[in-house]
Amino acid sequence: MTEADMARVRREQPTISDEDVARAQARYGQLPIAATTPAARPPNLDALPAPLYDTPPDLGAVAEGYRVESLAPAGLDEGPVLYLFVSLSMPEPALRRAIAQAAQARAVVLIRGLSDGSLRQTAARLQALIGQQPVSIQIDPRPFEQFDVQRVPAVVLARSRAAEDCNASACPAGTAFVRATGDVSLDYALAHVQRAAPAWAPAAAVYLQRLGRRE
């Protein structure tokens, strides 16, 4: 663009005078300034664009994606995984102790199903139990079958991704996992694994160290 082009644009640009503004106001009116400010007029939420589809999200698919993503605790992707099987019907003190120790050991807490069949009620109950603790909790009945968990609480120390490798069938005890059942603390159960299954003792020791206990 040359200087001549710029000069032509300036000449062609109309000049708006105070009289022009006054005539426009007299013809079209003037909106009150206060009504156009965000503080004076709340946003009209009904005017927001509606979603294209009103189909509810597939909660099962969401849960499955989260389950697969967080089966292995951080730092142990290639090593044994510690699972703690519980039920929301357990006494409150036992549940709180189990979840607190699972958070400390970075174990995965597994629950068979929803509380009274309600996702909302289950979420509220879990939130009250978890608080601010960094713990992974999965709602999935399949590991209960795969690791043959008949009673809770139960502790399972398993090969990494063992639950996925076994699919819907039962995992072979001894080679794929070792299990301890009983209403005992997590560190007590791991110490029992060390004594009863020496092949799993090094893996149990990793989690015992996280719980502040050395065997």
Side-chain angles (χ1 to χ4, degrees):
M1 180 177 291
T2 64
E3 291 293 336
D5 294 328
M6 296 179 65
R8 185 172 61 256
V9 170
R10 293 192 191 98
R11 290 194 303 271
E12 295 174 354
Q13 180 68 30
T15 301
I16 301 176
S17 65
D18 292 340
E19 290 77 7
D20 296 328
V21 174
R23 281 195 301 271
Q25 290 176 346
R27 182 174 180 180
Y28 300 108
Q30 181 177 8
L31 290 176
I33 296 177
T36 62
T37 60
R41 172 179 289 180
N44 183 7
L45 299 181
D46 293 333
L48 294 175
L52 185 59
Y53 303 103
D54 57 1
T55 305
D58 186 349
L59 296 178
V62 174
E64 171 63 12
Y66 182 74
R67 183 189 75 86
V68 171
E69 185 66 23
S70 59
L71 272 174
L76 281 181
D77 292 340
E78 301 302 327
V81 183
L82 182 62
Y83 299 103
L84 178 58
F85 293 80
V86 300
S87 169
L88 292 178
S89 63
M90 289 170 50
E92 189 87 0
L95 265 176
R96 289 189 177 277
R97 179 189 66 187
I99 290 176
Q101 285 205 307
Q104 185 178 354
R106 299 206 294 277
V108 179
V109 179
L110 287 166
I111 300 173
R112 185 183 293 273
L114 302 176
S115 177
D116 294 330
S118 169
L119 179 60
R120 184 184 300 274
Q121 182 175 328
T122 303
R125 180 80 189 283
L126 290 176
Q127 184 57 53
L129 290 167
I130 297 171
Q132 300 299 317
Q133 299 175 99
V135 60
S136 173
I137 295 185
Q138 306 298 324
I139 302 174
D140 192 345
R142 289 171 294 179
F144 284 79
E145 303 296 329
Q146 292 164 337
F147 296 119
D148 193 26
V149 175
Q150 304 294 331
R151 295 185 297 116
V152 293
V155 174
V156 169
L157 194 56
R159 288 188 296 102
S160 177
R161 307 294 181 180
E164 295 178 35
D165 295 340
C166 298
N167 297 320
S169 60
C171 298
T175 57
F177 73 95
V178 61
R179 182 184 62 246
T181 304
D183 188 11
V184 296
S185 64
L186 186 56
D187 55 317
Y188 185 94
L190 288 169
H192 172 74
V193 168
Q194 281 190 315
R195 295 189 299 269
W200 292 89
V206 172
Y207 290 98
L208 281 169
Q209 289 177 3
R210 294 180 181 179
L211 292 168
R213 178 169 171 175
R214 296 179 180 274
E215 291 291 325

